[in-house]
Amino acid sequence: MSKSDIAASRVAGSHDALSWVWVIPLPAGGFRVRAFEVGRDLIDADACFYDDDMSIVHDEIIPSIDDIDDSIRRSGVDPDDLDAPWKCGFPV
């Protein structure tokens, strides 16, 4: 695992949304694993969106890289699907 963000798309809770899980290295050590959903209309319109436009469906601070796979699975994603954000349609 690199020291940069990685992400994967995931199945959203509704047809009107798109969803991703995101692994974020934290400056003080550890990682944040966050899965969120965004309205498909915002993504399709290439609109800017903010925290209030997202629905957080999974959010954990993981102290060790050894615990990331379990957190990713709890978010509903296979850890093998993680990749660089720009390869999975992640809206960065």
Side-chain angles (χ1 to χ4, degrees):
M1 173 145 180
S2 71
K3 293 187 180 190
S4 62
D5 299 1
I6 55 174
S9 60
R10 61 183 295 280
V11 175
S14 84
H15 177 71
D16 296 331
L18 294 171
S19 186
W20 292 269
V21 63
W22 185 16
V23 180
I24 309 155
L26 300 173
F31 302 86
R32 169 170 252 141
V33 177
R34 177 176 276 183
F36 64 96
E37 297 184 1
V38 177
R40 186 180 294 271
D41 58 331
L42 292 172
I43 300 298
D44 289 346
D46 200 22
C48 292
F49 59 89
Y50 304 93
D51 287 345
D52 290 344
D53 299 316
M54 292 186 276
S55 174
I56 306 300
V57 295
H58 178 87
D59 192 23
E60 285 186 82
I61 302 295
I62 305 299
S64 168
I65 197 168
D66 298 330
D67 300 321
I68 290 177
D69 284 358
D70 289 337
S71 181
I72 295 296
R73 285 186 195 96
R74 285 191 293 275
S75 78
V77 173
D78 183 336
D80 290 337
D81 292 342
L82 291 170
D83 206 341
W86 60 88
K87 292 186 178 182
C88 66
F90 188 77
V92 292

